[in-house]
Amino acid sequence: MVGGCAAALLAIASGTAYAAGNLPPKQPLVQDLQSQSKACATGDATPYVSAPPRLSALLYDPEEDNQPSESSPVQGEFEAWWTDPAGAEQRRTYTTSTLVSGTRFYWTMPDDTPANTVVSWHVRANDGQAKSAWSDEGDGSVCSFVYDDANPEKAVISSPEYPQPEDVFWVDGVGVYGHFTMDSPSDDVVSYRYEFLGGPYGTVSPERPGAAVTIPYLPLTSGPKDLTVHAIDRSGRSSAESRYNFNVKSGRPPVARWKLDDPAGSRTASAETGAPARAGTGVTFGGPAPSGTGTTATVRLDGSGHGFLTPDVAVADTGKSFAVSAWARPAATSRTMTVASQDADVRPGFTLGLRTPDSGPAWSFTIGGATVSGGAPETGEWAHLVGLYDAETGRAHLYVNGHEVGSPAEATPAGAPGAFQIGRAQGATGYRDRWQGDIGDVQVHDRVVVPGEAAGLARRKPESRGHWSLETEADGASPEQSGGAPLRLGGGASIYRDSGNGCLPEMDPDCTYGPPALVGEGHLHLDGASGHATADGPVVDTGDSFTLGVVVRLADSEPAHPMTVLSQAGEHTDAFKVRYEPSTHTWQLVMPEKDEAGAHEAVVSQIEGADGGEGPGHRLAVTYDDGTDTIRLYLDGQTNAEATASLPDGWHSTGALQIGRGQVGDGWGEYLHGDVDEVQAFSGALRDTDVPGLGWETDPCLC
């Protein structure tokens, strides 16, 4: 048998056995070599590194050398060379420890590696009996690197639009682009890392190493700003920080504005800015205005050929950034209609209005053949529209009720600007797409209207519809703070008054302990059997935006059934219901889509354990934003995705606001067992930042 072992095993220093007829390791491949994690390259592509690099290579030994269960040990032999200042060649070598085939092998270059010198290197594998070819032999290639030991110089920053305060202290302004140039004297800078105060931030590369680079910046808010920049060279080294300070003014006012609040019978719309607009005979002044806004009156257009207003001059320069905005309330949504447009050659330069694609009516902004659409126009419902063309990005945007809708569209405006139009759009044979409905406060800006401004233009300030602190009761009713209608207490409902006695019975057996009220000096206590309170009628218009807030504490730690804290009924079901669902341990807002028994319900919720009669309770708030068709539930001032849902159309309820019960079948049920305080109601949807102000003895400041 020994004589038959033609492949006798040979022992090597490591103790690993090799078969006779050993195959040499494979030649290292160029794609498996790196200089400090940078790919092997040479010539013009030679990588630069910021320290003597760690060279690496994947090395392989053929598996067919081995018997079953044997490994393939191999070593790496590195060699590097360069020419020193005296013209002499210098070489360094390094042999790694033995590792398994397929492993990455490393050599960290010694400290005497020269800076700013091309260093070349190659590598081969050694399995103890045979060596591979060098990595640069045959079809291979030598690897090179240059060690850069110096940081680049700081960048010089400049901006023609936004000079520093020592030159011009305050500069226009929000919605006006600035361009900032960054230029380091170092000729090896390949990128600049920048950050504006409050954003944006990023990294940008010049067209070639050492060249300057310019970036755009759109101020979204006014006030002091700063830009910090670091120049990065090809080795990855960073310069010291450069800082550039500048001050941004508020956004420029519109270049044209027609409030359209002229007296009834007017034939011309006066202009706050720009030229007055003559009105056709199909225009009626003195119309209703959207509530909660600074608009006091609007105009009604009858949809006929005489229903228009125009200043007879161009207002927007469509080749530059501009925005057009207006309040609009359509009398119908079955056809395409124009709120505002501007004539061009044979078609409008832009149109803002309502269109009716197959998917249903939508608000739209069209410019240069590009259209952005979104939102859901509703007959008789106010919406605020902003159509924006951003010349810097070449994109058109549309905002509806302060929220951007649709997808920004690439646009190329064309045509010489003609007369601005309200209520109609230019066609090949005359004006078309005439507006039928109401329009108010038309504005044109010669700059970008930024998102915060779009939200501000659409802001409808909520108005209080009632605030009941539930601290006192007289003749079975608890008063409203401002002298409005009280809440009437039903059987099983009582006002608990805080005695102010903070003694503890375990410390003083003669004292009678009274727990503090939820808020202030008293709250409403409901017995869970019949206890409730009710307003004289509906408190909020559930067909429009509204907000309700309440503080509530459940008496039970494991309620036996759902319990409603707030509701307001229609003819067949509650328009909304705020309740606790013990099966899921959640507070819920339930809003049916129709006033029908069994109608589909939009339900949002937040998880929270029952109070068990202890603690300060929870501040609940619900909002319905009819402009965005969104309902939200807030728990202690916070909301989330699970507490937000879409409700396409709210409907008007006629029932009274109920505290502590809701409709169940043909009667009342889901009676609340617990305490209720600070019931607050508003027309309009409060903002996220306003909601934490609910649940206190005073209303939040709705600025």
Side-chain angles (χ1 to χ4, degrees):
M1 179 169 177
V2 174
C5 291
L9 298 179
L10 303 176
I12 61 172
S14 65
T16 303
Y18 289 82
N22 174 70
L23 295 176
K26 296 181 180 179
Q27 179 183 6
L29 299 176
V30 171
Q31 60 263 37
D32 291 337
L33 312 182
Q34 294 180 345
S35 301
Q36 196 64 39
S37 301
K38 295 183 178 182
C40 172
T42 191
D44 292 340
T46 296
Y48 282 68
V49 294
S50 59
R54 190 186 194 196
L55 310 181
S56 70
L58 284 173
L59 302 180
Y60 297 92
D61 194 35
E63 295 181 0
E64 55 266 30
D65 289 357
N66 306 316
Q67 297 295 324
S69 303
E70 291 181 335
S71 61
S72 298
V74 68
Q75 291 178 309
E77 295 181 355
F78 288 86
E79 186 175 48
W81 63 93
W82 64 89
T83 301
D84 67 18
E89 182 181 81
Q90 300 290 327
R91 285 188 176 264
R92 301 289 185 271
T93 60
Y94 177 75
T95 300
T96 71
S97 58
T98 301
L99 298 173
V100 176
S101 170
T103 302
R104 184 166 288 276
F105 292 72
Y106 296 94
W107 175 29
T108 299
M109 290 293 294
D111 293 339
D112 66 350
T113 302
N116 305 310
T117 300
V118 176
V119 177
S120 300
W121 65 277
H122 58 193
V123 64
R124 65 184 178 186
N126 183 347
D127 67 3
Q129 299 182 61
K131 298 179 180 180
S132 72
W134 287 103
S135 56
D136 56 344
E137 292 185 49
D139 294 332
S141 173
V142 71
C143 301
S144 300
F145 67 84
V146 175
Y147 161 42
D148 183 355
D149 65 347
N151 293 336
E153 295 187 53
K154 292 171 56 175
V156 176
I157 308 172
S158 61
S159 172
E161 298 91 353
Y162 289 100
Q164 298 199 79
E166 53 266 30
D167 298 320
V168 181
F169 196 80
W170 289 102
V171 188
D172 243 3
V174 170
V176 176
Y177 275 97
H179 298 84
F180 291 80
T181 298
M182 300 166 281
D183 190 7
S184 167
S186 299
D187 61 6
D188 61 346
V189 169
V190 295
S191 65
Y192 293 90
R193 188 170 62 245
Y194 66 89
E195 181 175 1
F196 288 93
L197 178 66
Y201 58 88
T203 300
V204 63
S205 298
E207 292 184 357
R208 64 183 186 282
V213 66
T214 300
I215 58 172
Y217 168 70
L218 181 66
L220 302 181
T221 59
S222 60
K225 309 290 182 183
D226 69 55
L227 166 64
T228 56
V229 174
H230 292 84
I232 311 298
D233 68 16
R234 53 195 169 187
S235 72
R237 285 182 171 269
S238 172
S239 72
E241 180 179 273
S242 301
R243 184 177 293 271
Y244 187 94
N245 300 305
F246 57 104
N247 296 320
V248 176
K249 293 196 296 187
S250 297
R252 292 196 302 262
V255 294
R257 182 180 187 183
W258 300 273
K259 289 186 174 181
L260 303 179
D261 58 358
D262 304 84
S266 298
R267 295 274 39 97
T268 300
S270 59
E272 182 177 89
T273 305
R278 64 181 175 88
T281 57
V283 177
T284 303
F285 287 85
S291 62
T293 71
T295 300
T296 58
T298 60
V299 293
R300 170 153 292 189
L301 280 62
D302 64 5
S304 73
H306 302 288
F308 68 90
L309 300 99
T310 178
D312 293 313
V313 296
V315 175
D317 184 347
T318 56
K320 299 179 181 179
S321 294
F322 75 93
V324 57
S325 63
W327 284 101
R329 183 168 71 164
T333 59
S334 57
R335 63 181 179 87
T336 298
M337 299 194 296
T338 301
V339 174
S341 70
Q342 185 164 281
D343 299 347
D345 294 333
V346 295
R347 64 178 183 177
F350 70 84
T351 59
L352 175 67
L354 182 156
R355 60 196 300 264
T356 54
D358 294 339
S359 57
W363 298 111
S364 71
F365 178 58
T366 298
I367 180 171
T371 297
V372 185
S373 298
E378 295 181 30
T379 299
E381 180 178 299
W382 285 107
H384 188 269
L385 312 177
V386 179
L388 166 67
Y389 172 64
D390 185 335
E392 184 77 27
T393 64
R395 290 184 173 184
H397 303 256
L398 175 63
Y399 292 84
V400 177
N401 293 316
H403 301 271
E404 186 167 10
V405 298
S407 299
E410 300 288 340
T412 305
F420 187 81
Q421 306 290 335
I422 299 173
R424 64 183 183 179
Q426 185 183 34
T429 59
Y431 290 101
R432 55 181 172 80
D433 300 337
R434 303 173 188 278
W435 182 262
Q436 184 179 3
D438 305 300
I439 297 177
D441 197 12
V442 177
Q443 301 186 38
V444 180
H445 286 81
D446 64 346
R447 60 177 179 84
V448 172
V449 169
V450 301
E453 292 177 312
L457 289 170
R459 170 85 166 135
R460 299 181 68 176
K461 183 178 179 180
E463 298 178 2
S464 176
R465 289 289 181 261
H467 184 169
W468 296 271
S469 285
L470 299 168
E471 295 190 346
T472 60
E473 175 262 336
D475 299 325
S478 187
E480 197 274 331
Q481 276 194 0
S482 302
L487 290 178
R488 304 194 181 279
L489 277 57
S494 60
I495 296 295
Y496 170 82
R497 292 285 295 173
D498 186 350
S499 66
N501 188 347
C503 71
L504 299 175
E506 59 268 27
M507 301 295 293
D508 181 1
D510 296 326
C511 86
T512 301
Y513 172 72
L518 282 178
V519 181
E521 298 179 354
H523 61 236
L524 175 67
H525 178 71
L526 303 173
D527 65 1
S530 62
H532 69 280
T534 181
D536 288 342
V539 172
V540 293
D541 181 357
T542 54
D544 203 349
S545 300
F546 69 86
T547 300
L548 288 161
V550 65
V551 181
V552 59
R553 176 174 59 200
L554 300 178
D556 306 308
S557 57
E558 296 183 7
H561 58 78
M563 295 190 293
T564 294
V565 60
L566 295 174
S567 68
Q568 187 168 294
E571 184 177 352
H572 302 288
T573 187
D574 288 323
F576 69 83
K577 184 182 292 185
V578 183
R579 69 177 188 173
Y580 188 78
E581 175 51 71
S583 65
T584 55
H585 308 288
T586 58
W587 283 104
Q588 296 180 337
L589 167 61
V590 181
M591 292 188 68
E593 293 183 357
K594 296 179 181 180
D595 188 7
E596 298 175 358
H600 180 268
E601 296 174 332
V603 181
V604 294
S605 61
Q606 292 217 53
I607 296 176
E608 183 62 45
D611 302 288
E614 299 180 349
H618 295 286
R619 286 171 168 78
L620 301 178
V622 296
T623 64
Y624 169 52
D625 189 336
D626 193 30
T628 59
D629 296 330
T630 303
I631 63 172
R632 287 187 175 86
L633 171 65
Y634 297 81
L635 177 66
D636 296 324
Q638 302 298 314
T639 188
N640 54 45
E642 289 72 28
T644 303
S646 175
L647 183 71
D649 295 301
W651 48 273
H652 302 279
S653 57
T654 56
L657 177 69
Q658 303 288 327
I659 316 299
R661 66 180 183 178
Q663 282 195 338
V664 177
D666 295 329
W668 297 107
E670 296 189 355
Y671 283 94
L672 178 78
H673 185 206
D675 304 318
V676 176
D677 210 348
E678 300 299 329
V679 176
Q680 294 163 276
F682 297 85
S683 63
L686 267 64
R687 298 169 296 189
D688 287 349
T689 53
D690 296 328
V691 168
L694 296 175
W696 310 99
E697 293 180 87
T698 58
D699 286 333
C701 176
L702 305 178
C703 304

